[in-house]
Amino acid sequence: MNDSLAVRRLWWKELRQMTPLLLMLPAIAAGLQLLNWANNLDASVHAFQTMQASLVFGMPALFACGIGAMLVGYEKELRTIAWLSSLPIPARRIVGVKLGAGLAGLLVLWILSGIYVGFARGPRWSFGELVSEGWTHPTHSLYVLLAGFALAWRSRSALVALLLVVPAALAPYVLAFAIDRWVIPFEIPFERLLFGCQIVAIAVAGWLALRWGRVALSAEPPSRPGWQSWLVDRDVEQARLWVARVRPVRPPMSAAVWQFAAQSRAVLIGCGVMLGVAMLLAMFAHPFGAAVAGLLALVASSWLGVVVFQSDGTGDRIRFLADRGLSPSMIWWSRQLAPAGLLAGFALLAALAVTLIAGVGWEDRIDVGYTAGLVTAVGGLVYLTSQWFGQLLRSPIVSAIGAPLVSVLMMSYSGFAIGMMETPWWLVAVLVPLPVVATRVMTRRWMDRQLGLGYWAGHGGFLATLLIVPAVPMLVAVALQPSMPSSIAEERDAAAEGAPAANGPLIELVLGTEAEARQDPAFAFADQSGAQGDVQSDEPETDRDLLRDTEHQLRDRSGPISIASRQVIEHLQFVASMARLSTSGDDETSAGKDSVGDAPVEETRERYRGAIGLLVEITDRMRTSPRIIEQDAADLIEICLLEEVRADGAPERLGEALLRDTCRLLGDRKRRQQARMRAVASSWNSFQRELQRGIDPGTLGGYPLDRVRDFSTFKRAWVGDRRVGVSVAHLWELARGGPAAATPELLRKIANDWGRSEAEYGIGPDGIYFRADDPDRFVGANRLGNVGSVASQWYAGWEDVAAEVAREQQGSNR
């Protein structure tokens, strides 16, 4: 035989055999990453750190644990090792190809892990960071791989070889701990000591893997005949009587359970030992012991589920039972009783042990009961998922390696359904036994080895049910959540298209020296959308400085005024209010006293007129804003101006021209309505544009959406998009309908949409103070900080009073 051709064929066989494992591990890791990200939308750093440990170190470690049992142990069970040993190929060549294929697969997974870390951490990532965080993991995975090959050559079963890898993997850690604790008298970093032990262990494991491999592939000496061959030489009837005398006849069900326990004895004992060690470690308060206990319990529970069907799948043992007419029901029950009973027994034993250790108070008992119930539920879910996964795949090694990851994936999906899709817990609990139903229904096909399209379609149907049903409540909620009516959407789009564009970006007015700083190019990054800057301003030295600075800013920059200018506006309102108080009264002497110092009455009136004139201009420019929040702020300023116009002596204080301009502003109901309609339409269009660009908008028209569109879960986010549409429809209905639309029913809907108190919309006994239906009883006119109740002052009674005042002023001018 051509030696090079034989080696190429060997490489092809080994690579094809381990391909399912190389594809399965990254796929499951990607699913875990996706669910971990989905369950931690607000904790991206935590999500990355959690997934980094499971992906960067988990994939190569699991591959190293199982590749030896797959390439050696599984082939021994299929008797292909005996076939390979009969070929004219040197044993060392076969052993070398198997080790080389395993090392190549391990290298591929470490490269994939490094690529993931590089993309996750971005351009600042460096290889040194990964090395410093876990530089002993690659060497340990290499040791585990070599130890797995060595144990697989010596073991008769692939699952037994996989079980033996678990304690063997701890050997370097135990050795390094012992040396650090009892041998070396001086201090050495544990990582360096562990690395040295790993190097020694790699050398020993590699030598054993090569030696035991060559021995296993050599010709075995003939075994000495035992009592089985003696029975064959006897009469069949005598043999039957002998077996009946030595071993009494058992009922079929009991015999099936005994047969399964006998052929799976090594796996059951190994999993029992792992559960016992996990229980002992869990009793210690050390976090490392608890973590190792959880890992051991996870692996043991999943392997107990895998052995349910993989024990009979090895060597097609199940075909022997099926050919003899054993019913699928009896086979299914007999395979479930031993592993499930072992897991349940350890769960009860652990609960009893923890109860005895815990206190005797009722609170302690409740906590212990809750913890025991949670651990039992998790263990049951792992077992149910693993026994289903074990029936799906034919390879026991792929099943044993993938079962713990698939179980974690199923638990993550259950948590995602309850936490992020808000699926009722009882629905998830109802779906938990579905893997048991799936394996019971498909047992007949599995026994007959009918593993064709019908077999996979049946399992696919159960899997689709398990994945889709938890999403049904969320999908129903999204479907039933009303959205913006199409008629309102068409009207809104038409209004948005016909509305004049805002004259430039939003302008933020600032105080004092901050106004000068904002003219510097260094402040060009300042937010023009409404956020306050980080620059702390000094108070203006005099009211004249405030008026002059504000006037210069209005003259130098055109465009709508932003709500971020509230500090300047409130100062102007304060100046106007104090000037009005100082000029009111009959005593000419007292009227001439200014709040800052002595000043003539005319000078105080000029300051008053300057403040009112600036407020009129600011309000007029606020009405051109494309956002809703500026319209609400303009409402509050106009209510404040209405109070000034209605005050005693207003014509003398304001002067004819300013009074006429102020009344024209207050009486222009048509322009106010058009501004509100334009703001609603523009705000909705801006919201939709951000969604189309893949941005989650946090505001609508300047108002935060945290109470309308909750991002904490997928369900609330998806329903929230429709809720935003409904809230905009209500605002549009109010803005378009005018005073006739401002009914308590519609105002109550708007309050509920935005999570505000109904009193802020004039509903209830306290509503007269928060909605300016009666301007004399309204308490929020001079505080723009009260802006927060969306459209709360739209078409309130103050607009009727303002229109009446405007008509009276026009009549007096005639």
Side-chain angles (χ1 to χ4, degrees):
M1 177 181 290
N2 189 332
D3 187 64
S4 61
L5 178 61
V7 172
R8 288 200 300 269
R9 294 294 185 183
L10 283 175
W11 273 99
W12 171 252
K13 180 183 73 69
E14 305 301 337
L15 293 177
R16 188 177 63 176
Q17 189 174 350
M18 70 180 185
T19 295
L21 197 59
L22 288 175
L23 296 177
M24 182 190 68
L25 289 175
I28 297 178
L32 286 173
Q33 166 69 352
L34 182 62
L35 283 176
N36 190 63
W37 168 80
N39 285 323
N40 297 275
L41 292 178
D42 298 329
S44 58
V45 175
H46 170 73
F48 167 73
Q49 292 174 348
T50 303
M51 196 55 210
Q52 175 178 310
S54 61
L55 183 60
V56 176
F57 304 135
M59 282 197 312
L62 287 173
F63 178 84
C65 288
I67 191 61
M70 170 182 284
L71 297 184
V72 176
Y74 189 51
E75 286 200 13
K76 291 172 71 174
E77 293 180 351
L78 296 177
R79 295 183 176 87
T80 56
I81 286 291
W83 171 76
L84 285 175
S85 63
S86 65
L87 296 177
I89 303 175
R92 57 180 179 81
R93 185 64 54 84
I94 298 176
V95 175
V97 169
K98 288 184 176 294
L99 277 176
L103 293 174
L106 183 64
L107 180 62
V108 168
L109 289 180
W110 273 113
I111 290 175
L112 289 178
S113 300
I115 292 174
Y116 167 76
V117 173
F119 278 107
R121 295 192 176 184
R124 295 184 178 181
W125 172 81
S126 64
F127 182 75
E129 294 180 6
L130 180 61
V131 171
S132 62
E133 292 177 3
W135 57 277
T136 59
H137 288 81
T139 54
H140 195 76
S141 63
L142 177 59
Y143 157 72
V144 172
L145 183 141
L146 296 175
F149 271 99
L151 294 171
W153 285 117
R154 296 290 292 181
S155 303
R156 300 179 63 89
S157 171
L159 288 176
V160 173
L162 192 60
L163 275 172
L164 294 176
V165 172
V166 176
L170 300 177
Y173 288 96
V174 174
L175 180 61
F177 179 79
I179 295 175
D180 182 65
R181 186 72 178 271
W182 293 298
V183 177
I184 298 180
F186 50 87
E187 189 72 21
I188 292 181
F190 184 77
E191 290 78 9
R192 296 184 181 180
L193 190 59
L194 175 61
F195 182 74
C197 294
Q198 287 173 344
I199 295 300
V200 175
I202 287 172
V204 174
W207 178 76
L208 291 177
L210 293 173
R211 177 177 176 79
W212 287 348
R214 290 195 298 268
V215 171
L217 290 172
S218 63
E220 297 183 2
S223 59
R224 300 176 63 180
W227 67 273
Q228 295 92 342
S229 60
W230 177 78
L231 279 178
V232 174
D233 296 335
R234 300 291 182 176
D235 184 76
V236 176
E237 183 64 21
Q238 291 180 355
R240 186 185 64 80
L241 294 175
W242 186 89
V243 173
R245 184 171 61 252
V246 175
R247 208 168 281 167
V249 178
R250 301 175 184 269
M253 185 64 181
S254 177
V257 173
W258 177 87
Q259 178 260 336
F260 173 80
Q263 72 183 16
S264 308
R265 180 170 50 249
V267 179
L268 294 177
I269 293 174
C271 292
V273 171
M274 292 172 64
L275 289 173
V277 173
M279 184 177 65
L280 294 176
L281 289 175
M283 295 180 182
F284 297 99
H286 196 277
F288 179 75
V292 174
L295 181 60
L296 289 177
L298 171 66
V299 173
S301 302
S302 62
W303 284 0
L304 284 175
V306 168
V307 78
V308 170
F309 295 103
Q310 286 296 336
S311 178
D312 288 320
T314 303
D316 280 345
R317 296 171 184 167
I318 192 61
R319 190 184 297 276
F320 173 83
L321 301 176
D323 292 342
R324 278 145 185 82
L326 275 72
S327 66
S329 176
M330 186 181 70
I331 291 296
W332 187 88
W333 279 108
S334 64
R335 272 51 190 161
Q336 297 281 355
L337 286 177
L342 181 63
L343 187 61
F346 268 97
L348 293 176
L349 185 61
L352 179 61
V354 174
T355 303
L356 293 177
I357 295 175
V360 295
W362 282 107
E363 294 182 358
D364 296 332
R365 294 181 182 273
I366 292 174
D367 293 340
V368 168
Y370 174 78
T371 304
L374 181 61
V375 171
T376 302
V378 171
L381 180 60
V382 170
Y383 171 80
L384 296 178
T385 304
S386 299
Q387 58 92 34
W388 188 16
F389 191 68
Q391 192 187 65
L392 276 171
L393 302 181
R394 298 193 63 175
S395 173
I397 303 305
V398 176
S399 301
I401 294 176
L405 293 178
V406 172
S407 302
V408 174
L409 192 64
M410 188 61 66
M411 287 189 293
S412 299
Y413 183 73
S414 301
F416 171 74
I418 296 175
M420 302 301 293
M421 293 193 294
E422 299 187 16
T423 305
W425 66 267
W426 59 264
L427 181 58
V428 176
V430 168
L431 293 174
V432 166
L434 191 61
V436 175
V437 177
T439 55
R440 176 63 189 86
V441 171
M442 305 304 294
T443 297
R444 180 176 295 278
R445 287 181 175 271
W446 172 77
M447 290 180 61
D448 297 336
R449 312 312 283 170
Q450 298 177 4
L451 309 180
L453 183 60
Y455 179 80
W456 289 103
H459 280 297
F462 283 108
L463 180 61
T465 302
L466 195 63
L467 297 179
I468 294 175
V469 170
V472 169
M474 182 187 71
L475 297 177
V476 171
V478 173
L480 296 181
Q481 172 65 39
S483 58
M484 179 181 294
S486 58
S487 59
I488 293 181
E490 293 174 359
E491 294 177 0
R492 176 193 48 75
D493 292 339
E497 293 176 359
N503 185 19
L506 294 175
I507 302 302
E508 176 185 355
L509 303 177
V510 291
L511 289 175
T513 57
E514 187 177 359
E516 301 174 0
R518 290 302 177 96
Q519 305 300 322
D520 192 279
F523 289 85
F525 65 89
D527 183 12
Q528 300 296 332
S529 62
Q532 285 282 7
D534 294 333
V535 179
Q536 300 297 326
S537 63
D538 298 328
E539 296 292 335
E541 295 181 358
T542 64
D543 294 338
R544 293 191 186 90
D545 294 336
L546 169 65
L547 300 179
R548 184 178 63 255
D549 291 341
T550 305
E551 184 178 1
H552 289 169
Q553 292 180 67
L554 290 174
R555 184 178 65 248
D556 295 340
R557 294 183 290 175
S558 61
I561 303 301
S562 168
I563 184 62
S565 308
R566 64 164 57 95
Q567 193 175 9
V568 172
I569 296 172
E570 289 177 351
H571 271 73
L572 291 174
Q573 290 175 336
F574 175 77
V575 170
S577 177
M578 295 303 297
R580 172 168 59 85
L581 291 176
S582 64
T583 56
S584 62
D586 297 332
D587 189 358
E588 183 73 17
T589 304
S590 62
K593 298 293 184 180
D594 187 64
S595 60
V596 179
D598 296 338
V601 174
E602 288 300 324
E603 183 178 342
T604 304
R605 286 181 176 176
E606 287 297 326
R607 188 163 58 253
Y608 173 79
R609 292 169 183 172
I612 296 297
L614 291 174
L615 288 174
V616 170
E617 184 177 354
I618 289 172
T619 307
D620 186 67
R621 289 173 60 171
M622 264 192 171
R623 289 298 181 190
T624 64
S625 171
R627 302 197 309 175
I628 301 173
I629 193 171
E630 274 78 35
Q631 306 305 317
D632 292 337
D635 287 345
L636 294 178
I637 300 175
E638 289 189 16
I639 295 173
C640 178
L641 293 175
L642 178 62
E643 180 181 350
E644 297 296 332
V645 171
R646 295 176 62 209
D648 295 337
E652 291 76 11
R653 283 192 302 274
L654 291 170
E656 181 179 352
L658 183 56
L659 178 62
R660 182 177 62 252
D661 294 340
T662 306
C663 290
R664 185 186 301 113
L665 175 69
L666 296 174
D668 196 350
R669 307 184 68 165
K670 181 178 180 181
R671 182 171 182 268
R672 191 181 301 126
Q673 181 177 13
Q674 291 176 347
R676 291 166 176 168
M677 293 173 61
R678 180 180 63 252
V680 172
S682 300
S683 299
W684 173 251
N685 287 345
S686 177
F687 175 84
Q688 286 187 313
R689 282 194 300 269
E690 291 186 4
L691 286 179
Q692 292 172 358
R693 288 184 295 178
I695 302 174
D696 284 333
T699 60
L700 175 73
Y703 285 104
L705 291 172
D706 53 346
R707 298 186 181 183
V708 183
R709 186 183 185 231
D710 191 350
F711 295 96
S712 60
T713 66
F714 274 77
K715 177 182 177 181
R716 296 177 187 177
W718 289 358
V719 172
D721 290 341
R722 291 173 174 259
R723 289 187 60 189
V724 172
V726 172
S727 65
V728 172
H730 292 158
L731 291 176
W732 177 259
E733 184 179 352
L734 177 62
R736 179 198 58 185
T743 61
E745 291 76 14
L746 182 57
L747 294 177
R748 185 177 287 108
K749 290 179 181 178
I750 296 175
N752 294 332
D753 290 340
W754 295 90
R756 308 296 297 189
S757 171
E758 293 183 354
E760 298 176 11
Y761 291 83
I763 301 172
D766 297 332
I768 56 177
Y769 302 108
F770 297 100
R771 180 173 167 87
D773 289 318
D774 184 358
D776 295 332
R777 307 176 79 173
F778 181 61
V779 297
N782 294 323
R783 293 184 178 89
L784 289 187
N786 290 335
V787 174
S789 303
V790 184
S792 61
Q793 305 303 325
W794 291 10
Y795 309 116
W798 71 270
E799 296 194 36
D800 296 331
V801 176
E804 181 65 26
V805 169
R807 285 193 296 269
E808 291 177 358
Q809 195 275 336
Q810 291 177 357
S812 63
N813 288 339
R814 293 174 184 173

